[in-house]
Each structure stands twice: as C-alpha cells, then as structure tokens.
Amino acid sequence: MKFGISKEPINIQEVIDHVVQRNAGAITTFIGTVRELTKGKKTLFLIYEAYESMAIKKLEQIGTEIRERWQGAEVAIVHRVGKLDITDVAVVIAVSTPHRADAYEANRYAIERIKEIVPIWKKEHWEDGQEWIGDQLEKVSYPEGKPEAKHLDE
Amino acid sequence: MNNVLFFAHLKDEVGAESLQIEAKGKSVLALKQVVHDTYGLSSIDSVMTAINEEFAEDDDVIQEGDTIAFIPPVSGG
C-alpha cells in the first residue's frame, strides 16, 4: 500500500519501492521510532489508534499536496497502529524527486502535515500512569490549511 | 440517524467508540452542545469535527445518514 495504516510491523523496503522512478535522483526515507524518554519521563510502550478510513484519505491528501508543490515527486506513507514498544517503527515516509534538496524538503513537509491533519493518536504508558497525547504542535485545529512552512521549524 | 464516532480520550470518557444520535438539521456546534450536556464532555468544545471523513466547521449542518467524528488534537508520527 502506498498510503496506509498497518497493524503489523511496517516493511520499510516496500514503502521505498513505491516511490522508485526513473526520473528520481534521490529518495529520502523518514523512519519515526518510539522514544523512551520524553522530557525526562520514561515511556514503557505506546498505543497508536487511528480513524483508519479518514487517516488514509488524509495521507493521500498529503501525497497530493507534495506532488503539487514539488515537481516530479512521488510519495508513500505508512503509519503503524496498535501497541508499540520502545525503538519500534511508528511511521515510514518515502519521497523521491529528481533532485535531492526537494526530496529532503518534501519529506519534512510530510511528517509535519501528519502531525496536523491525520487522525492518529498515541497513548503513552509510563510506570505511574497513562495518557492520550494531543496537540504536539500546540495548536488546536487545522482544517484544510495550506502548506504551513512556518511550522517546519517548530 | 447519525453515527457519531469518538476517539482517544473522548472514547474513554464516553465509554463507547460510537453512538447513534439523531443530528439531522443540527449544526456541528449544536451537536457538540448535545454531547457536552449528555455526556459531560467539556473537552468536546475544543476538538475538530469531521463529517463523512472530511474536516467540517462548527456552522456546517448535518444531514441524514452523515457520519460525524470528533477528532481530538492528533498525535501521530
């Protein structure tokens, strides 16, 4: 699947294979992994939950936005759901473009947009409790928003 | 009738993933008020809403059969 939600471990090579194209001079791959320490607090494991049908649509929308902004780009994104342990892969984004600068930029754009518009939530479990995490960009809503370059540095 | 979906902390607070609510003709804001009053979900006021898997505004009007989802701030990635 080019844009998908996966209950099983993500096959990274398969995501990359979706963006292989003869006109590409570069493929960038972003692999988001589960971190143990957040602000000094130790995470034991995470649960990711998605509104799957809408999440896939929004991942596809990100792909469309990227193809509109970066000429010749191809994109594939797969996000994992379920219980993830420390170091597990939560998301894989592959972007290919004719030139490397665009591949880096467009890939960065994809992960920032995921954190804005894709209905996926994580619940952190610690030794002393658990909590659904939200609003990591410290904003509340971003309906159809345009490319938000200003968010990229946050 | 309308299928109304809850996710993340909203699901925990309501105690269900979905509810059947008659919301035809109501605005999104009016439905939020119903959910707020009926289930004591005060945090509903600050979440996004989707109608049929597209983000909606508070003044959008719900039609018969629409699927409504309340979308808390997302935390994927």
Side-chain angles (χ1 to χ4, degrees), chain A residues 66-104:
Chain A
I66 287 175
R67 285 192 301 274
E68 284 169 4
R69 285 190 78 178
W70 287 277
Q71 201 71 36
E74 283 298 338
V75 188
I77 308 172
V78 178
H79 201 295
R80 179 93 185 270
V81 290
K83 178 175 183 278
L84 274 76
D85 292 314
I86 308 305
T87 76
D88 279 354
V89 173
V91 61
V92 176
I93 303 167
V95 177
S96 66
T97 57
H99 302 285
R100 67 182 179 283
D102 285 352
Y104 277 112

Side-chain angles (χ1 to χ4, degrees), chain B:
Chain B
M1 288 299 276
N2 297 91
N3 199 21
V4 181
L5 311 179
F6 300 92
F7 295 95
H9 67 88
L10 295 177
K11 184 174 75 178
D12 293 348
E13 287 171 47
V14 173
E17 288 180 7
S18 68
L19 295 171
Q20 293 294 313
I21 298 178
E22 183 61 70
K24 183 175 71 174
K26 284 191 168 64
S27 67
V28 165
L29 189 63
L31 177 61
K32 281 184 175 178
Q33 195 59 51
V34 169
V35 170
H36 182 144
D37 295 348
T38 312
Y39 300 95
L41 282 188
S42 54
S43 62
I44 199 86
D45 300 336
S46 61
V47 306
M48 290 189 280
T49 308
I51 299 178
N52 301 328
E53 302 173 358
E54 279 301 332
F55 287 112
E57 303 293 335
D58 273 351
D59 56 2
D60 286 343
V61 175
I62 296 160
Q63 310 293 317
E64 171 65 26
D66 281 350
T67 296
I68 314 302
F70 292 115
I71 313 275
V74 302
S75 51

Side-chain angles (χ1 to χ4, degrees), chain A residues 49 53 79 120-122 132-133, chain B residues 8 11-12 46 53 72 75 77:
Chain A
E49 170 183 297
S53 54
H79 201 295
I120 297 172
W121 302 271
K122 73 173 168 193
W132 284 104
I133 306 300
Chain B
K11 184 174 75 178
D12 293 348
S46 61
E53 302 173 358
S75 51

